[in-house]
Amino acid sequence: MTTLETYETRCEQLFLAGGNAAVRRAAQEGLDALGPRADLYCWLALGHAAEDEDDHDDLAEEAFRAGLALDRDHLGLLAGYAELCLRADGFEHPGRAGRAVTLSRRLKELAPDSAEADRLAAAERWARRGYWEDLRMAAVEGRLAAGRTQEQARALADDLADGAAAVRAAEAADPTDRAAAVRAATAEALAGPRNAPVRFLGRHRGAIWVLSGCLALVTNQLLRQAGIAGAFSPWGYLWLLPVLLVDRRFAAVRREAEARYVTRLETTLAGRD
């Protein structure tokens, strides 16, 4: 019989891998096999809350409450539920939003120096963020995504030089290797002559982004001087479109690879039980 610890370990690894649906499946499997357990309700709730969608938030709240009914002092449940309530819209879900204060106070009374309390403090700071903090976070995320695209494109160039078979072999050797899954999916999706422009733009994304920006400014200036456009001209920004499309293409491949990676990880972990 699979133990509670085994189910918890499986949920944790799947959660860290970003497999929210897989976390929910593992937690529900554990609940079905072992009966009600506060720890498994916690993982089930976190698997729903991570989706950040209204329907999943409702299911997450149900799971948090079910777990706290079994153990009202469970730190993980208190922290996770408080985070969910902090994120709630006060107009649409006033009751949920109002429960954040009670849950936070309870957690800080029980374990003020715990990792859960630290995590909740970070969530409270996030909830108090302002407009400029949102802009800064969006800018940072944009830079990180751009870096991932360029790194992915350069790795693709190396992998195609070595041969697609070698990339597939590396993925098959360790199905739980996230980087190998991304590289294999990228080589599979973006190989061939017709994807050569995509690979080129991805490898030289930084320089091409600067060039596209300069061309956009010059084009808009020329259109205004020629009287073709008014004070604001959107046409020059079409130079940025190829880079944006390349970013979306590489991001789509990463998402596909991540999904494949999580599926293989879930299968591997289930096979170890």
Side-chain angles (χ1 to χ4, degrees), residues 60-108:
E61 184 166 33
E62 290 179 12
F64 279 128
R65 288 186 169 187
L68 288 170
L70 298 172
D71 183 356
R72 65 185 298 269
D73 295 335
H74 191 288
L75 300 184
L77 287 166
L78 289 169
Y81 195 6
E83 287 184 54
L84 179 73
C85 294
L86 284 170
R87 197 177 67 205
D89 188 305
F91 292 100
E92 294 185 5
H93 304 283
R96 183 182 299 166
R99 282 188 282 275
V101 175
T102 303
L103 292 163
S104 176
R105 184 186 304 118
R106 179 62 178 166
L107 175 59
K108 291 170 183 176

mmCIF file of all heavy atoms in Angstrom, residues 60-108:
data_model
loop_
_atom_site.group_PDB
_atom_site.id
_atom_site.type_symbol
_atom_site.label_atom_id
_atom_site.label_comp_id
_atom_site.label_asym_id
_atom_site.label_seq_id
_atom_site.Cartn_x
_atom_site.Cartn_y
_atom_site.Cartn_z
ATOM 1 N N ALA A 60 -10.388 25.171 -4.509
ATOM 2 C CA ALA A 60 -9.278 25.271 -3.550
ATOM 3 C C ALA A 60 -9.810 25.604 -2.159
ATOM 4 O O ALA A 60 -9.382 25.011 -1.157
ATOM 5 C CB ALA A 60 -8.285 26.337 -4.001
ATOM 6 N N GLU A 61 -10.770 26.524 -2.094
ATOM 7 C CA GLU A 61 -11.327 26.896 -0.789
ATOM 8 C C GLU A 61 -12.020 25.700 -0.140
ATOM 9 O O GLU A 61 -11.903 25.479 1.072
ATOM 10 C CB GLU A 61 -12.298 28.064 -0.942
ATOM 11 C CG GLU A 61 -12.831 28.553 0.396
ATOM 12 C CD GLU A 61 -13.507 29.907 0.300
ATOM 13 O OE1 GLU A 61 -14.117 30.201 -0.743
ATOM 14 O OE2 GLU A 61 -13.422 30.669 1.284
ATOM 15 N N GLU A 62 -12.740 24.919 -0.946
ATOM 16 C CA GLU A 62 -13.389 23.719 -0.403
ATOM 17 C C GLU A 62 -12.353 22.768 0.197
ATOM 18 O O GLU A 62 -12.556 22.201 1.281
ATOM 19 C CB GLU A 62 -14.172 23.005 -1.497
ATOM 20 C CG GLU A 62 -15.413 23.740 -1.973
ATOM 21 C CD GLU A 62 -16.132 22.986 -3.067
ATOM 22 O OE1 GLU A 62 -15.787 21.795 -3.287
ATOM 23 O OE2 GLU A 62 -17.031 23.560 -3.714
ATOM 24 N N ALA A 63 -11.239 22.578 -0.519
ATOM 25 C CA ALA A 63 -10.208 21.655 -0.041
ATOM 26 C C ALA A 63 -9.528 22.210 1.206
ATOM 27 O O ALA A 63 -9.228 21.456 2.150
ATOM 28 C CB ALA A 63 -9.185 21.402 -1.147
ATOM 29 N N PHE A 64 -9.244 23.507 1.229
ATOM 30 C CA PHE A 64 -8.636 24.108 2.426
ATOM 31 C C PHE A 64 -9.541 23.916 3.637
ATOM 32 O O PHE A 64 -9.079 23.561 4.735
ATOM 33 C CB PHE A 64 -8.387 25.607 2.205
ATOM 34 C CG PHE A 64 -7.133 25.920 1.429
ATOM 35 C CD1 PHE A 64 -7.185 26.753 0.324
ATOM 36 C CD2 PHE A 64 -5.910 25.385 1.811
ATOM 37 C CE1 PHE A 64 -6.037 27.063 -0.397
ATOM 38 C CE2 PHE A 64 -4.751 25.687 1.099
ATOM 39 C CZ PHE A 64 -4.819 26.520 -0.014
ATOM 40 N N ARG A 65 -10.828 24.135 3.463
ATOM 41 C CA ARG A 65 -11.753 23.993 4.585
ATOM 42 C C ARG A 65 -11.861 22.545 5.045
ATOM 43 O O ARG A 65 -11.937 22.267 6.256
ATOM 44 C CB ARG A 65 -13.134 24.517 4.175
ATOM 45 C CG ARG A 65 -13.203 26.024 4.042
ATOM 46 C CD ARG A 65 -14.621 26.482 3.778
ATOM 47 N NE ARG A 65 -14.750 27.910 3.891
ATOM 48 C CZ ARG A 65 -15.907 28.569 3.837
ATOM 49 N NH1 ARG A 65 -17.035 27.887 3.671
ATOM 50 N NH2 ARG A 65 -15.948 29.877 3.949
ATOM 51 N N ALA A 66 -11.862 21.629 4.079
ATOM 52 C CA ALA A 66 -11.929 20.210 4.449
ATOM 53 C C ALA A 66 -10.697 19.811 5.247
ATOM 54 O O ALA A 66 -10.780 19.052 6.224
ATOM 55 C CB ALA A 66 -12.050 19.357 3.196
ATOM 56 N N GLY A 67 -9.524 20.302 4.834
ATOM 57 C CA GLY A 67 -8.305 19.982 5.551
ATOM 58 C C GLY A 67 -8.274 20.594 6.938
ATOM 59 O O GLY A 67 -7.882 19.934 7.913
ATOM 60 N N LEU A 68 -8.699 21.852 7.060
ATOM 61 C CA LEU A 68 -8.701 22.510 8.373
ATOM 62 C C LEU A 68 -9.739 21.906 9.310
ATOM 63 O O LEU A 68 -9.583 21.981 10.536
ATOM 64 C CB LEU A 68 -8.951 24.008 8.202
ATOM 65 C CG LEU A 68 -7.776 24.797 7.611
ATOM 66 C CD1 LEU A 68 -8.194 26.219 7.263
ATOM 67 C CD2 LEU A 68 -6.591 24.811 8.574
ATOM 68 N N ALA A 69 -10.770 21.298 8.753
ATOM 69 C CA ALA A 69 -11.740 20.591 9.604
ATOM 70 C C ALA A 69 -11.089 19.385 10.277
ATOM 71 O O ALA A 69 -11.495 18.979 11.370
ATOM 72 C CB ALA A 69 -12.941 20.148 8.773
ATOM 73 N N LEU A 70 -10.069 18.832 9.637
ATOM 74 C CA LEU A 70 -9.332 17.704 10.218
ATOM 75 C C LEU A 70 -8.226 18.171 11.144
ATOM 76 O O LEU A 70 -7.914 17.513 12.142
ATOM 77 C CB LEU A 70 -8.726 16.851 9.095
ATOM 78 C CG LEU A 70 -9.702 16.183 8.128
ATOM 79 C CD1 LEU A 70 -8.940 15.552 6.970
ATOM 80 C CD2 LEU A 70 -10.543 15.141 8.853
ATOM 81 N N ASP A 71 -7.587 19.298 10.805
ATOM 82 C CA ASP A 71 -6.470 19.813 11.604
ATOM 83 C C ASP A 71 -6.484 21.335 11.508
ATOM 84 O O ASP A 71 -5.959 21.912 10.566
ATOM 85 C CB ASP A 71 -5.140 19.254 11.064
ATOM 86 C CG ASP A 71 -3.945 19.697 11.897
ATOM 87 O OD1 ASP A 71 -4.128 20.495 12.839
ATOM 88 O OD2 ASP A 71 -2.821 19.256 11.591
ATOM 89 N N ARG A 72 -7.101 21.971 12.476
ATOM 90 C CA ARG A 72 -7.270 23.428 12.436
ATOM 91 C C ARG A 72 -5.962 24.188 12.597
ATOM 92 O O ARG A 72 -5.903 25.402 12.339
ATOM 93 C CB ARG A 72 -8.268 23.879 13.505
ATOM 94 C CG ARG A 72 -7.808 23.642 14.938
ATOM 95 C CD ARG A 72 -8.914 23.995 15.928
ATOM 96 N NE ARG A 72 -9.295 25.395 15.854
ATOM 97 C CZ ARG A 72 -8.741 26.352 16.598
ATOM 98 N NH1 ARG A 72 -7.756 26.063 17.458
ATOM 99 N NH2 ARG A 72 -9.154 27.603 16.503
ATOM 100 N N ASP A 73 -4.896 23.499 13.024
ATOM 101 C CA ASP A 73 -3.608 24.160 13.226
ATOM 102 C C ASP A 73 -2.577 23.772 12.170
ATOM 103 O O ASP A 73 -1.376 23.960 12.367
ATOM 104 C CB ASP A 73 -3.050 23.814 14.620
ATOM 105 C CG ASP A 73 -3.923 24.370 15.735
ATOM 106 O OD1 ASP A 73 -4.640 25.368 15.483
ATOM 107 O OD2 ASP A 73 -3.899 23.818 16.854
ATOM 108 N N HIS A 74 -3.014 23.223 11.065
ATOM 109 C CA HIS A 74 -2.086 22.807 10.005
ATOM 110 C C HIS A 74 -1.494 24.052 9.352
ATOM 111 O O HIS A 74 -2.212 24.862 8.739
ATOM 112 C CB HIS A 74 -2.853 21.974 8.971
ATOM 113 C CG HIS A 74 -1.983 21.266 7.985
ATOM 114 N ND1 HIS A 74 -1.306 21.932 6.969
ATOM 115 C CD2 HIS A 74 -1.665 19.948 7.852
ATOM 116 C CE1 HIS A 74 -0.635 21.066 6.247
ATOM 117 N NE2 HIS A 74 -0.829 19.855 6.765
ATOM 118 N N LEU A 75 -0.183 24.217 9.466
ATOM 119 C CA LEU A 75 0.465 25.446 9.003
ATOM 120 C C LEU A 75 0.341 25.630 7.492
ATOM 121 O O LEU A 75 0.110 26.740 7.002
ATOM 122 C CB LEU A 75 1.935 25.454 9.415
ATOM 123 C CG LEU A 75 2.233 25.390 10.912
ATOM 124 C CD1 LEU A 75 3.739 25.494 11.163
ATOM 125 C CD2 LEU A 75 1.489 26.486 11.663
ATOM 126 N N GLY A 76 0.522 24.550 6.756
ATOM 127 C CA GLY A 76 0.433 24.652 5.306
ATOM 128 C C GLY A 76 -0.957 25.062 4.847
ATOM 129 O O GLY A 76 -1.108 25.890 3.933
ATOM 130 N N LEU A 77 -1.994 24.491 5.469
ATOM 131 C CA LEU A 77 -3.363 24.856 5.121
ATOM 132 C C LEU A 77 -3.664 26.304 5.486
ATOM 133 O O LEU A 77 -4.285 27.037 4.699
ATOM 134 C CB LEU A 77 -4.342 23.923 5.834
ATOM 135 C CG LEU A 77 -4.426 22.494 5.294
ATOM 136 C CD1 LEU A 77 -5.155 21.590 6.280
ATOM 137 C CD2 LEU A 77 -5.127 22.474 3.933
ATOM 138 N N LEU A 78 -3.215 26.732 6.649
ATOM 139 C CA LEU A 78 -3.455 28.111 7.069
ATOM 140 C C LEU A 78 -2.772 29.100 6.122
ATOM 141 O O LEU A 78 -3.374 30.094 5.704
ATOM 142 C CB LEU A 78 -2.956 28.320 8.501
ATOM 143 C CG LEU A 78 -3.775 27.645 9.609
ATOM 144 C CD1 LEU A 78 -3.026 27.716 10.930
ATOM 145 C CD2 LEU A 78 -5.149 28.310 9.739
ATOM 146 N N ALA A 79 -1.514 28.810 5.778
ATOM 147 C CA ALA A 79 -0.767 29.715 4.900
ATOM 148 C C ALA A 79 -1.368 29.745 3.504
ATOM 149 O O ALA A 79 -1.567 30.813 2.908
ATOM 150 C CB ALA A 79 0.700 29.300 4.841
ATOM 151 N N GLY A 80 -1.668 28.564 2.969
ATOM 152 C CA GLY A 80 -2.218 28.507 1.622
ATOM 153 C C GLY A 80 -3.582 29.158 1.533
ATOM 154 O O GLY A 80 -3.874 29.893 0.570
ATOM 155 N N TYR A 81 -4.422 28.910 2.526
ATOM 156 C CA TYR A 81 -5.764 29.498 2.521
ATOM 157 C C TYR A 81 -5.676 31.023 2.665
ATOM 158 O O TYR A 81 -6.405 31.778 2.008
ATOM 159 C CB TYR A 81 -6.580 28.884 3.656
ATOM 160 C CG TYR A 81 -8.072 29.119 3.575
ATOM 161 C CD1 TYR A 81 -8.663 29.745 2.469
ATOM 162 C CD2 TYR A 81 -8.911 28.708 4.610
ATOM 163 C CE1 TYR A 81 -10.032 29.948 2.407
ATOM 164 C CE2 TYR A 81 -10.287 28.898 4.554
ATOM 165 C CZ TYR A 81 -10.836 29.525 3.453
ATOM 166 O OH TYR A 81 -12.189 29.722 3.385
ATOM 167 N N ALA A 82 -4.776 31.493 3.527
ATOM 168 C CA ALA A 82 -4.597 32.936 3.701
ATOM 169 C C ALA A 82 -4.136 33.586 2.398
ATOM 170 O O ALA A 82 -4.603 34.666 2.024
ATOM 171 C CB ALA A 82 -3.598 33.214 4.820
ATOM 172 N N GLU A 83 -3.224 32.931 1.690
ATOM 173 C CA GLU A 83 -2.764 33.465 0.399
ATOM 174 C C GLU A 83 -3.916 33.537 -0.592
ATOM 175 O O GLU A 83 -4.047 34.510 -1.343
ATOM 176 C CB GLU A 83 -1.641 32.590 -0.158
ATOM 177 C CG GLU A 83 -0.316 32.743 0.561
ATOM 178 C CD GLU A 83 0.780 31.924 -0.094
ATOM 179 O OE1 GLU A 83 0.980 32.083 -1.320
ATOM 180 O OE2 GLU A 83 1.421 31.121 0.610
ATOM 181 N N LEU A 84 -4.727 32.491 -0.626
ATOM 182 C CA LEU A 84 -5.885 32.495 -1.522
ATOM 183 C C LEU A 84 -6.812 33.663 -1.193
ATOM 184 O O LEU A 84 -7.309 34.355 -2.094
ATOM 185 C CB LEU A 84 -6.641 31.169 -1.392
ATOM 186 C CG LEU A 84 -7.900 31.033 -2.263
ATOM 187 C CD1 LEU A 84 -7.518 30.834 -3.724
ATOM 188 C CD2 LEU A 84 -8.750 29.864 -1.777
ATOM 189 N N CYS A 85 -7.035 33.904 0.091
ATOM 190 C CA CYS A 85 -7.931 34.989 0.514
ATOM 191 C C CYS A 85 -7.330 36.356 0.215
ATOM 192 O O CYS A 85 -8.048 37.297 -0.147
ATOM 193 C CB CYS A 85 -8.241 34.854 2.004
ATOM 194 S SG CYS A 85 -9.201 33.371 2.420
ATOM 195 N N LEU A 86 -6.020 36.483 0.344
ATOM 196 C CA LEU A 86 -5.359 37.746 0.018
ATOM 197 C C LEU A 86 -5.512 38.082 -1.453
ATOM 198 O O LEU A 86 -5.592 39.259 -1.839
ATOM 199 C CB LEU A 86 -3.869 37.669 0.375
ATOM 200 C CG LEU A 86 -3.501 37.772 1.857
ATOM 201 C CD1 LEU A 86 -2.032 37.421 2.051
ATOM 202 C CD2 LEU A 86 -3.781 39.175 2.387
ATOM 203 N N ARG A 87 -5.550 37.074 -2.287
ATOM 204 C CA ARG A 87 -5.657 37.261 -3.733
ATOM 205 C C ARG A 87 -7.092 37.518 -4.180
ATOM 206 O O ARG A 87 -7.331 37.967 -5.300
ATOM 207 C CB ARG A 87 -5.113 36.005 -4.424
ATOM 208 C CG ARG A 87 -4.779 36.163 -5.887
ATOM 209 C CD ARG A 87 -4.188 34.878 -6.418
ATOM 210 N NE ARG A 87 -5.146 33.789 -6.449
ATOM 211 C CZ ARG A 87 -4.838 32.499 -6.415
ATOM 212 N NH1 ARG A 87 -3.568 32.127 -6.326
ATOM 213 N NH2 ARG A 87 -5.765 31.565 -6.448
ATOM 214 N N ALA A 88 -8.056 37.252 -3.306
ATOM 215 C CA ALA A 88 -9.465 37.343 -3.691
ATOM 216 C C ALA A 88 -9.885 38.792 -3.918
ATOM 217 O O ALA A 88 -9.400 39.715 -3.253
ATOM 218 C CB ALA A 88 -10.340 36.698 -2.617
ATOM 219 N N ASP A 89 -10.794 38.977 -4.844
ATOM 220 C CA ASP A 89 -11.374 40.296 -5.113
ATOM 221 C C ASP A 89 -12.369 40.632 -4.012
ATOM 222 O O ASP A 89 -13.324 39.894 -3.772
ATOM 223 C CB ASP A 89 -12.070 40.269 -6.475
ATOM 224 C CG ASP A 89 -12.530 41.644 -6.910
ATOM 225 O OD1 ASP A 89 -13.271 42.289 -6.148
ATOM 226 O OD2 ASP A 89 -12.157 42.073 -8.028
ATOM 227 N N GLY A 90 -12.131 41.755 -3.346
ATOM 228 C CA GLY A 90 -12.982 42.129 -2.232
ATOM 229 C C GLY A 90 -14.413 42.443 -2.615
ATOM 230 O O GLY A 90 -15.316 42.376 -1.763
ATOM 231 N N PHE A 91 -14.662 42.803 -3.873
ATOM 232 C CA PHE A 91 -16.015 43.101 -4.326
ATOM 233 C C PHE A 91 -16.761 41.822 -4.714
ATOM 234 O O PHE A 91 -17.937 41.660 -4.389
ATOM 235 C CB PHE A 91 -15.973 44.061 -5.514
ATOM 236 C CG PHE A 91 -15.500 45.438 -5.148
ATOM 237 C CD1 PHE A 91 -14.193 45.815 -5.389
ATOM 238 C CD2 PHE A 91 -16.358 46.344 -4.530
ATOM 239 C CE1 PHE A 91 -13.743 47.082 -5.041
ATOM 240 C CE2 PHE A 91 -15.920 47.613 -4.180
ATOM 241 C CZ PHE A 91 -14.610 47.984 -4.440
ATOM 242 N N GLU A 92 -16.066 40.918 -5.414
ATOM 243 C CA GLU A 92 -16.717 39.695 -5.868
ATOM 244 C C GLU A 92 -16.785 38.637 -4.774
ATOM 245 O O GLU A 92 -17.735 37.850 -4.724
ATOM 246 C CB GLU A 92 -15.972 39.134 -7.076
ATOM 247 C CG GLU A 92 -16.044 40.021 -8.314
ATOM 248 C CD GLU A 92 -15.389 39.374 -9.522
ATOM 249 O OE1 GLU A 92 -14.969 38.204 -9.411
ATOM 250 O OE2 GLU A 92 -15.293 40.032 -10.571
ATOM 251 N N HIS A 93 -15.758 38.591 -3.914
ATOM 252 C CA HIS A 93 -15.706 37.573 -2.854
ATOM 253 C C HIS A 93 -15.352 38.237 -1.522
ATOM 254 O O HIS A 93 -14.273 37.998 -0.958
ATOM 255 C CB HIS A 93 -14.672 36.503 -3.194
ATOM 256 C CG HIS A 93 -14.890 35.835 -4.512
ATOM 257 N ND1 HIS A 93 -15.853 34.868 -4.717
ATOM 258 C CD2 HIS A 93 -14.276 35.999 -5.718
ATOM 259 C CE1 HIS A 93 -15.819 34.466 -5.975
ATOM 260 N NE2 HIS A 93 -14.879 35.133 -6.605
ATOM 261 N N PRO A 94 -16.246 39.086 -0.995
ATOM 262 C CA PRO A 94 -15.915 39.807 0.252
ATOM 263 C C PRO A 94 -15.659 38.889 1.440
ATOM 264 O O PRO A 94 -14.790 39.154 2.269
ATOM 265 C CB PRO A 94 -17.146 40.690 0.475
ATOM 266 C CG PRO A 94 -18.247 40.037 -0.297
ATOM 267 C CD PRO A 94 -17.596 39.408 -1.481
ATOM 268 N N GLY A 95 -16.422 37.785 1.531
ATOM 269 C CA GLY A 95 -16.218 36.866 2.644
ATOM 270 C C GLY A 95 -14.853 36.218 2.602
ATOM 271 O O GLY A 95 -14.158 36.135 3.617
ATOM 272 N N ARG A 96 -14.463 35.766 1.415
ATOM 273 C CA ARG A 96 -13.154 35.129 1.259
ATOM 274 C C ARG A 96 -12.037 36.124 1.552
ATOM 275 O O ARG A 96 -11.082 35.803 2.267
ATOM 276 C CB ARG A 96 -13.009 34.558 -0.144
ATOM 277 C CG ARG A 96 -11.698 33.811 -0.374
ATOM 278 C CD ARG A 96 -11.611 33.317 -1.816
ATOM 279 N NE ARG A 96 -12.687 32.383 -2.123
ATOM 280 C CZ ARG A 96 -13.014 31.999 -3.355
ATOM 281 N NH1 ARG A 96 -12.376 32.501 -4.403
ATOM 282 N NH2 ARG A 96 -13.989 31.129 -3.542
ATOM 283 N N ALA A 97 -12.148 37.306 1.003
ATOM 284 C CA ALA A 97 -11.109 38.318 1.226
ATOM 285 C C ALA A 97 -11.003 38.677 2.708
ATOM 286 O O ALA A 97 -9.897 38.882 3.235
ATOM 287 C CB ALA A 97 -11.405 39.561 0.393
ATOM 288 N N GLY A 98 -12.131 38.720 3.389
ATOM 289 C CA GLY A 98 -12.115 39.083 4.800
ATOM 290 C C GLY A 98 -11.499 38.025 5.694
ATOM 291 O O GLY A 98 -11.031 38.344 6.806
ATOM 292 N N ARG A 99 -11.485 36.778 5.254
ATOM 293 C CA ARG A 99 -10.924 35.707 6.089
ATOM 294 C C ARG A 99 -9.401 35.746 6.143
ATOM 295 O O ARG A 99 -8.797 35.062 6.956
ATOM 296 C CB ARG A 99 -11.407 34.348 5.576
ATOM 297 C CG ARG A 99 -12.823 34.020 5.992
ATOM 298 C CD ARG A 99 -13.207 32.597 5.635
ATOM 299 N NE ARG A 99 -13.528 32.443 4.230
ATOM 300 C CZ ARG A 99 -14.719 32.692 3.699
ATOM 301 N NH1 ARG A 99 -15.690 33.154 4.457
ATOM 302 N NH2 ARG A 99 -14.945 32.506 2.411
ATOM 303 N N ALA A 100 -8.764 36.517 5.276
ATOM 304 C CA ALA A 100 -7.303 36.567 5.257
ATOM 305 C C ALA A 100 -6.748 37.017 6.592
ATOM 306 O O ALA A 100 -5.736 36.482 7.066
ATOM 307 C CB ALA A 100 -6.835 37.494 4.131
ATOM 308 N N VAL A 101 -7.386 38.002 7.222
ATOM 309 C CA VAL A 101 -6.874 38.550 8.487
ATOM 310 C C VAL A 101 -6.899 37.492 9.583
ATOM 311 O O VAL A 101 -5.915 37.294 10.314
ATOM 312 C CB VAL A 101 -7.707 39.782 8.912
ATOM 313 C CG1 VAL A 101 -7.265 40.267 10.286
ATOM 314 C CG2 VAL A 101 -7.571 40.892 7.884
ATOM 315 N N THR A 102 -8.012 36.771 9.702
ATOM 316 C CA THR A 102 -8.139 35.739 10.741
ATOM 317 C C THR A 102 -7.138 34.616 10.530
ATOM 318 O O THR A 102 -6.486 34.159 11.483
ATOM 319 C CB THR A 102 -9.573 35.172 10.743
ATOM 320 O OG1 THR A 102 -10.502 36.227 10.929
ATOM 321 C CG2 THR A 102 -9.733 34.128 11.838
ATOM 322 N N LEU A 103 -6.999 34.157 9.304
ATOM 323 C CA LEU A 103 -6.074 33.063 9.008
ATOM 324 C C LEU A 103 -4.629 33.487 9.257
ATOM 325 O O LEU A 103 -3.828 32.723 9.809
ATOM 326 C CB LEU A 103 -6.250 32.625 7.549
ATOM 327 C CG LEU A 103 -7.577 31.949 7.216
ATOM 328 C CD1 LEU A 103 -7.820 31.945 5.715
ATOM 329 C CD2 LEU A 103 -7.610 30.523 7.770
ATOM 330 N N SER A 104 -4.300 34.707 8.842
ATOM 331 C CA SER A 104 -2.942 35.213 9.034
ATOM 332 C C SER A 104 -2.613 35.331 10.519
ATOM 333 O O SER A 104 -1.530 34.937 10.966
ATOM 334 C CB SER A 104 -2.802 36.569 8.353
ATOM 335 O OG SER A 104 -1.525 37.117 8.604
ATOM 336 N N ARG A 105 -3.567 35.848 11.287
ATOM 337 C CA ARG A 105 -3.338 35.996 12.733
ATOM 338 C C ARG A 105 -3.141 34.627 13.387
ATOM 339 O O ARG A 105 -2.251 34.458 14.238
ATOM 340 C CB ARG A 105 -4.522 36.714 13.370
ATOM 341 C CG ARG A 105 -4.325 36.987 14.865
ATOM 342 C CD ARG A 105 -5.572 37.566 15.514
ATOM 343 N NE ARG A 105 -6.001 38.772 14.835
ATOM 344 C CZ ARG A 105 -7.168 38.913 14.222
ATOM 345 N NH1 ARG A 105 -8.022 37.883 14.190
ATOM 346 N NH2 ARG A 105 -7.506 40.041 13.652
ATOM 347 N N ARG A 106 -3.935 33.656 12.981
ATOM 348 C CA ARG A 106 -3.832 32.316 13.564
ATOM 349 C C ARG A 106 -2.467 31.696 13.265
ATOM 350 O O ARG A 106 -1.829 31.119 14.147
ATOM 351 C CB ARG A 106 -4.946 31.429 12.997
ATOM 352 C CG ARG A 106 -4.936 29.993 13.503
ATOM 353 C CD ARG A 106 -5.155 29.939 14.993
ATOM 354 N NE ARG A 106 -5.184 28.566 15.478
ATOM 355 C CZ ARG A 106 -5.086 28.230 16.762
ATOM 356 N NH1 ARG A 106 -4.959 29.176 17.684
ATOM 357 N NH2 ARG A 106 -5.111 26.977 17.132
ATOM 358 N N LEU A 107 -2.004 31.828 12.043
ATOM 359 C CA LEU A 107 -0.712 31.265 11.668
ATOM 360 C C LEU A 107 0.417 31.928 12.450
ATOM 361 O O LEU A 107 1.332 31.255 12.941
ATOM 362 C CB LEU A 107 -0.491 31.436 10.167
ATOM 363 C CG LEU A 107 0.872 31.004 9.614
ATOM 364 C CD1 LEU A 107 1.130 29.530 9.897
ATOM 365 C CD2 LEU A 107 0.958 31.271 8.127
ATOM 366 N N LYS A 108 0.363 33.240 12.583
ATOM 367 C CA LYS A 108 1.427 33.960 13.279
ATOM 368 C C LYS A 108 1.422 33.667 14.778
ATOM 369 O O LYS A 108 2.467 33.719 15.436
ATOM 370 C CB LYS A 108 1.293 35.457 13.017
ATOM 371 C CG LYS A 108 1.600 35.823 11.563
ATOM 372 C CD LYS A 108 1.249 37.258 11.228
ATOM 373 C CE LYS A 108 1.503 37.543 9.756
ATOM 374 N NZ LYS A 108 1.089 38.915 9.370
#
